[in-house]
Amino acid sequence: MAEGMVVRGLRRVRTLLADGGAARSLEGKQLVRIRDLLHECASGIGGEVSARQRAGRLAETYLRLNDEGRASFLRIVATEFGPNPELVAKAHADYQAAIGSDAQWTAESALRNAMRSARLRILTQFNTLSHGVKFLVDLRADLLRFVEKDAALRSLDRELESRLGAWFDVGFLELQRITWSSPAALLEKLIEYEAVHQIRSWSDLKNRLDSDRRCYAFFHPRMPMEPLIFVEVALTEHLADNVQTLLDEHAPVLDAHRANTAIFYSISNTQVGLRGVSFGNFLLKRVVDDLKRDYPRLVNFATLSPLPSFRHWAEKNPEPWPQAFSAADLERIKRHLTPEMPQPADASDLAKLLADARWMNDARLARALQHGLLRLAARYLLTTSKGGRPYDPVARFHLGNGARIERLNYLADTSARGQQQSYGLMVNYLYDPDTIEANVEAFSRSGEIAAAAAIRRSARD
């Protein structure tokens, strides 16, 4: 009964805010009351019903606050409910004195208890609400925005990330296939959350859920209508090399039982608040197992992936361009330039030419640029790094999960986004079940990148 009232209150506030209801700052008597409620949560005063009502009032208040108020709320939790430094210092001294004696293990337990933050007890109170898990995920999304300007929030962010990592352990998640018959509210979430290739209409979505397509998502039992991550799959008879062709609503539907290749063409994480909680690799492995069971003819499992940082890197690094584009390449390119196009003095100037998407519509110019762009992309994938890992975020994900760079595809995404990200290039990452584990180990141990011989030759040429 009490929890039902709390849940209805949270829903009412979410509706109010969605409809443009006023949000406010945290100040005056309300600030005092919030502190009192937080202290009661931290100390565990009262029974289970009281705890839920208290957590519900705090959550409802939080949702009514504007960004300034929410940042203040979180700063109170972060700075006023951490471990007691004096108790930690005493427990640490006792532990140091007890090392090697029978009392060491008791002292270790006492030190661990002293280090335990009251922040965790507060967060756990929210978790008891019916919509509490989603509330905490959204609260972490706020934290990730605020922590960039307020370092005092970092400890709270780390603790909440750790809690969410435990609550969203892959062992608790449910893999579900999403179909055209799934609830409309869930289908709307796919349209909202699609992060790679925008779903333009209901007919576009229906095409992506047709009989030669599959969509799988991970769900948490406490967030049954919120996909955490989903992957879209096309069943084909070849390694796909063009996303516009793959997403063509008017293309004939393939008999799925004739397919020998599964193309993962879009993977979308949906919850910003779960950043740092990784389950994408488990999703792909589970989906591969499901597909192999349903379609024994499938032998190839690959992606058609973007290179989201390629153009940004290329424009910031002119040095590799002359290595990728030979003098002969440059002469061929110049022969096909129209007077209004930028005239490159050398290969380092080609980024200015490629910034104008008109080159994609000139078949002869596009052919002249092809060899050099593919070489530049191969070097980008195999030689660039950031923090000791591949520079490209999509490459980091797939290589870290045991894939091999199989093929670069020229003009594979001619959309405005494809031009903006990678001059239209896309990559096939191949998941070979026989080599995945060896690739993961080599990549984790020494950063070794698995790549097809043709990719390696292109990077050396």
Side-chain angles (χ1 to χ4, degrees), residues 92-155:
H92 182 260
D94 292 346
Y95 173 72
Q96 290 292 326
I99 291 176
S101 71
D102 291 342
Q104 175 178 343
W105 316 118
T106 301
E108 178 187 324
S109 179
L111 176 58
R112 189 178 295 112
N113 287 334
M115 288 292 296
R116 187 170 292 124
S117 164
R119 293 183 289 248
L120 289 179
R121 287 195 288 274
I122 294 172
L123 296 176
T124 302
Q125 294 292 313
F126 291 122
N127 192 32
T128 62
L129 301 174
S130 293
H131 290 73
V133 173
K134 175 60 174 168
F135 171 79
L136 287 171
V137 170
D138 291 344
L139 183 146
R140 173 127 195 280
D142 288 341
L143 257 179
L144 289 170
R145 290 188 295 115
F146 302 147
V147 77
E148 297 177 2
K149 296 181 180 179
D150 189 352
L153 298 176
R154 288 176 184 166
S155 56

Side-chain angles (χ1 to χ4, degrees), residues 371-428:
H371 193 193
L373 270 178
L374 289 174
R375 279 186 295 197
L376 188 64
R379 294 184 182 193
Y380 165 75
L381 286 171
L382 293 183
T383 65
T384 62
S385 63
K386 185 178 183 180
R389 311 302 266 179
Y391 184 90
D392 191 85
V394 175
R396 284 198 299 273
F397 175 80
H398 289 298
L399 294 172
N401 289 327
R404 178 174 78 229
I405 304 173
E406 186 67 10
R407 189 173 71 185
L408 280 163
N409 301 296
Y410 190 60
L411 296 185
D413 183 2
T414 54
S415 69
R417 185 174 186 175
Q419 157 71 359
Q420 186 63 38
Q421 289 186 335
S422 61
Y423 306 119
L425 272 65
M426 299 189 78
V427 190
N428 295 126

Side-chain angles (χ1 to χ4, degrees), residues 329-346 349-350 352-354 356 358-360 362 364-366 368-369:
D329 290 331
L330 194 59
E331 287 305 312
R332 280 193 295 271
I333 292 166
K334 287 181 177 180
R335 283 201 298 269
H336 299 302
L337 295 178
T338 58
E340 67 272 13
M341 290 181 172
Q343 304 293 315
D346 56 37
D349 288 339
L350 287 174
K352 297 175 185 176
L353 169 65
L354 291 166
D356 185 339
R358 286 179 298 174
W359 67 268
M360 284 187 173
D362 187 321
R364 293 180 301 171
L365 180 56
L369 287 161

Side-chain angles (χ1 to χ4, degrees), residues 184-200:
L186 179 54
L187 298 181
E188 288 176 347
K189 291 292 177 67
L190 291 189
I191 296 174
E192 175 187 353
Y193 288 138
E194 167 60 53
V196 184
H197 303 295
Q198 180 185 7
I199 300 174
R200 300 177 300 276

Side-chain angles (χ1 to χ4, degrees), residues 196-197 229-233 262-269 278-285 287-288 301-308 381-382 389-407 426-433 435-444 447-451:
V196 184
H197 303 295
I229 182 174
F230 62 91
V231 59
E232 296 169 67
V233 187
I263 298 292
F264 306 103
Y265 63 89
S266 179
I267 302 174
S268 298
N269 285 291
S278 177
F279 28 66
N281 54 337
F282 296 102
L283 174 67
L284 290 181
K285 291 172 184 175
V287 168
V288 167
F301 300 89
T303 75
L304 183 60
S305 298
L307 290 87
L381 286 171
L382 293 183
R389 311 302 266 179
Y391 184 90
D392 191 85
V394 175
R396 284 198 299 273
F397 175 80
H398 289 298
L399 294 172
N401 289 327
R404 178 174 78 229
I405 304 173
E406 186 67 10
R407 189 173 71 185
M426 299 189 78
V427 190
N428 295 126
Y429 294 97
L430 183 70
Y431 282 87
D432 180 354
T435 62
I436 285 177
E437 292 304 321
N439 290 345
V440 168
E441 184 176 344
F443 184 77
S444 300
E448 181 180 337
I449 293 175

